[in-house]
Amino acid sequence: MNRFGWRNAIGLGAAGVLLITLAGSRALGREEAALSASVPGEPAAVHKAVGIAAPNALFSGLIETPVAQGSTPLENPTAQLPFYGYDGNGPMVPAPGDIQTTTHNVEASKTEPDKNTYLVLENQRGADPGYDYGTHFLFQGHEGGVAGYVTRINLDADQAHRVTLFASKDRNGNNLPVFDGSTWNPFAQRLLFTSENLNNGGVWASTLDFPPVVDDMAGVFGRGGFEGIQNDSDGNLWIVEDVGGAAGAVNTHAKQPNSFLYRFLPKDKSDLTKGGKMQALQVKSLRNGQPIIFHAGQADADILSLDQLDLHTYGNRFDTRWITIHDNDTDGFTPFNANVLAKAKFATPFKRPENGQFRPGQNFKQFFFDTTGDTNILTEAGTARGGFGAIFQLTQSDPSASTGKLSLFYRSDAAHGSLDNCAFWDRDHVVFVEDAGDTLHTQRNAFDSAYLFDVRQDYSGGAQPIRILALGRDASATIDSAYSDAGHGFQNDGDNEVTGIHVSDGDPTTGGILGAKKPEPFHEGWRVFYTQQHGDNNTREILLTGPDAAAALFE
């Protein structure tokens, strides 16, 4: 039997042994599935109610513990950045009777730690030169707040040394932007962080030593709304862009596809500063064989196009081609706008793709990525044209191949949609998490969830993934939701969000690239992390309930 095997039942048996399975996702009506759970041990989605906080609910046999809280003091704070998840521009909790104005914050800005990167490292140093920081570390950029920065959670450290302010400036003393994505590039020996701030976004590369040297790589990767970033075995970097398009003049609740899937082919994979080729994915229409492209000033036409219908139809397979949009050898190292060039070179736009990963054990030939869609239940694009997003599978003969095939893996709906971060749980199962936003939470009366998909499953018949985490709402986010609804310049998001889902054994070598090994959560050093963003800004580790459960899983 596999060392990691899901069983035919989910829940606690009579002997108290955890029996978990993914054998067959259940088929439910999509509306019924919004708040229900039909697999034993599966939590239902958590309802949203005004003024009510609610705990998270995990799949039976799973528990979670915080590895860092928003209120955790940084070991090397600044006046602007004193805590892990809060800026220094206000209190953590509003004072009774205090009133938000455009010039006065009733509470501090939330920094929103985002994508996590776990590494097992020797000889890491921090702000205290005499302290042993251990060997287990979790890095993340911060998506919100008044300034961008990188933190390192020292998982083996005491409370005083638990979180290090890793970097807030680049090599030249410039402030870092707010960050969304992150990964470790073992070829170049650099942490890579991405910012989705379009004209000011891009990729930043950081050394591992403390204090690190951080470089803005805009002359290599360009500017763009970059979020997800992943390595492949050839040393290429795959980047997923999240840039919302224009709303339609008629279809006012839907947005034009406006973001791209990129691949960077380095000239020297051990030194990214030498540049390379930035490419964008082009998808050919099934109707006329021409590229599916962005049409400037035609948002309504693109939102309801037949090509969008085809892209979100099960069973269709599209020819793809990588188009070079910038080559440092011929175009130089002046920063460029990748989104603009992708449109000019006739690459194919998607409805806010955010993250993707390679399926383990496939030699980096299968790449799964999601699109978030419109995050509005009123979207005129509907389910059929990707209004609630989707998961796509891109298959190639090898990771550097210039052509491939694209197909729809899962078409999202209002109950299971607005997907964002992702991580492969094992070779055949992948977790995608929701970022529905406050509006859609209210519309569907449900907070975000994390879903486990079987990549061998055909979802065209109405089968649905298994919810392994039903996110609730902490008290801080509940307060924020009320202030957000009131307006008056309140700067923090209401409700919580699942982000930074990460399954890794922390291997920093090229053999540890996500997708190279078969993940085995809770076994042989494999760990599972995520961040409950907004509110209290807790980053958490998911664990099993006990050794009996682990024994059942790893026979």
Side-chain angles (χ1 to χ4, degrees), residues 94-150:
D98 200 4
I99 298 174
Q100 176 82 19
T101 71
T102 56
T103 58
H104 168 71
N105 295 330
V106 297
E107 68 177 20
S109 297
K110 310 294 179 73
T111 70
E112 301 175 12
D114 205 297
K115 193 73 173 73
N116 294 297
T117 294
Y118 173 58
L119 293 173
V120 179
L121 303 165
E122 301 287 344
N123 304 315
Q124 283 293 106
R125 301 196 179 278
D128 183 347
Y131 186 76
D132 181 358
Y133 286 86
T135 57
H136 301 87
F137 303 94
L138 195 65
F139 296 85
Q140 53 281 128
H142 289 247
E143 184 182 10
V146 298
Y149 63 104
V150 175

Side-chain angles (χ1 to χ4, degrees), residues 15 79 81 111 144 209 217 247 257 266 301 335 352 356-357 359 375 395 494 498 513 525 539 548:
L81 305 171
T111 70
D209 52 323
M217 304 294 290
R352 294 183 58 206
Q357 279 200 9
R359 182 183 179 187
T375 61
T395 304
V498 192
I513 294 172
T539 293
D548 287 343

Side-chain angles (χ1 to χ4, degrees), residues 168-421:
S168 60
K169 304 279 187 181
D170 70 12
R171 175 194 296 269
N172 299 315
N174 299 312
N175 292 330
L176 295 179
V178 294
F179 289 124
D180 297 88
S182 68
T183 197
W184 166 245
N185 184 333
F187 300 103
Q189 292 289 291
R190 292 293 187 274
L191 286 161
L192 301 178
F193 297 93
T194 55
S195 175
E196 62 178 353
N197 192 18
L198 190 54
N199 296 329
N200 296 309
V203 177
W204 276 254
S206 171
T207 60
L208 274 178
D209 52 323
F210 183 85
V213 176
V214 183
D215 289 304
D216 181 353
M217 304 294 290
V220 175
F221 295 93
R223 296 294 184 201
F226 301 153
E227 183 164 349
I229 182 167
Q230 298 292 329
N231 303 286
D232 67 29
S233 55
D234 287 349
N236 307 317
L237 286 155
W238 294 53
I239 302 173
V240 184
E241 184 179 48
D242 176 15
V243 179
V250 176
N251 303 293
T252 57
H253 303 99
K255 294 183 178 180
Q256 187 176 23
N258 192 52
S259 308
F260 298 89
L261 179 63
Y262 299 95
R263 183 179 69 177
F264 176 72
L265 280 60
K267 188 173 183 179
D268 180 351
K269 60 186 177 183
S270 67
D271 186 355
L272 299 179
T273 64
K274 293 182 179 179
K277 296 179 180 180
M278 188 68 164
Q279 301 180 322
L281 189 70
Q282 183 185 82
V283 182
K284 300 294 183 66
S285 171
L286 297 179
R287 297 177 179 273
N288 55 22
Q290 297 301 305
I292 300 173
I293 63 172
F294 176 89
H295 297 90
Q298 299 183 43
D300 284 303
D302 281 354
I303 289 167
L304 296 184
S305 75
L306 294 176
D307 284 324
Q308 286 300 313
L309 180 65
D310 290 343
L311 279 170
H312 296 91
T313 298
Y314 286 108
N316 288 339
R317 285 174 58 83
F318 298 82
D319 291 327
T320 64
R321 178 186 173 200
W322 288 102
I323 305 297
T324 297
I325 63 173
H326 188 275
D327 185 342
N328 287 117
D329 281 348
T330 57
D331 300 321
F333 287 82
T334 301
F336 58 94
N337 188 309
N339 186 277
V340 170
L341 290 183
K343 291 172 181 174
K345 298 286 188 176
F346 304 118
T348 296
F350 293 90
K351 290 179 74 72
R352 294 183 58 206
E354 296 208 43
N355 276 277
Q357 279 200 9
F358 289 95
R359 182 183 179 187
Q362 302 298 313
N363 297 315
F364 294 88
K365 296 178 182 179
Q366 295 181 17
F367 187 72
F368 287 78
F369 68 97
D370 61 19
T371 57
T372 300
D374 297 316
T375 61
N376 190 322
I377 206 166
L378 302 177
T379 173
E380 292 86 359
T383 300
R385 286 177 169 82
F388 301 107
I391 303 173
F392 293 97
Q393 176 182 341
L394 177 61
T395 304
Q396 300 183 168
S397 59
D398 62 73
S400 297
S402 59
T403 60
K405 294 286 187 180
L406 182 76
S407 59
L408 177 72
F409 169 66
Y410 178 77
R411 187 174 61 201
S412 301
D413 56 29
H416 319 78
S418 303
L419 302 174
D420 192 335
N421 282 203

